[in-house]
Amino acid sequence: QVQLVESGGGLVQPGGSLRLSCAASGSFARLNAMGWYRQAPGKQRELVATITGGGSADYTDSVKGRFTISRDNAKNTVYLQMNSLKPEDTAVYYCNADIKPYFALTSYNHWGRGTQVTVSS
């Protein structure tokens, strides 16, 4: 069974940095695009950043220049380096991955359980 496990969340002061990690475990044929989403209290879940299997990244406008998404394909892990954090970045951050199982014709979307990021003084 495929699992996505996030780590690295926590409490940080405005202007600080955090690095989130998400590791995919289990047996699968291919790990395609991966990404990070976030959901603040009372708001809908929103896309933060995505990265393709080949390493092409895209970001929502509010985090451009502050966040960097990367991946280590050998470790089946995606990272989100978050710098210059603001109180409005406070949310639960979820890892997402498109994964193709063995012997399957299509891939499936998987979610992690989320990790809390709180930016506050």
Side-chain angles (χ1 to χ4, degrees):
Q1 185 176 355
V2 176
Q3 283 190 317
L4 299 177
V5 179
E6 302 105 332
S7 61
L11 173 63
V12 64
Q13 292 186 343
S17 298
L18 281 175
R19 188 193 195 207
L20 305 183
S21 299
C22 171
S25 64
S27 181
F28 47 86
R30 189 170 65 244
L31 192 56
N32 296 320
M34 302 183 78
W36 290 94
Y37 290 70
R38 66 186 180 187
Q39 187 166 19
K43 295 188 177 181
Q44 289 188 332
R45 190 174 297 188
E46 65 169 352
L47 175 65
V48 176
T50 59
I51 187 166
T52 67
S56 295
D58 196 14
Y59 303 89
T60 191
D61 286 346
S62 62
V63 307
K64 284 180 180 178
R66 300 189 298 122
F67 290 11
T68 301
I69 189 170
S70 61
R71 64 190 288 167
D72 184 335
N73 290 331
K75 296 181 179 180
N76 294 327
T77 299
V78 63
Y79 306 97
L80 186 68
Q81 177 66 45
M82 305 185 293
N83 299 328
S84 302
L85 282 161
K86 305 176 181 180
E88 50 263 43
D89 294 318
T90 296
V92 177
Y93 284 70
Y94 296 91
C95 176
N96 177 270
D98 184 70
I99 300 174
K100 183 181 178 301
Y102 287 111
F103 314 117
L105 297 178
T106 188
S107 56
Y108 297 89
N109 205 242
H110 294 262
W111 291 93
R113 293 187 175 183
T115 184
Q116 177 70 46
V117 171
T118 303
V119 185
S120 175
S121 55

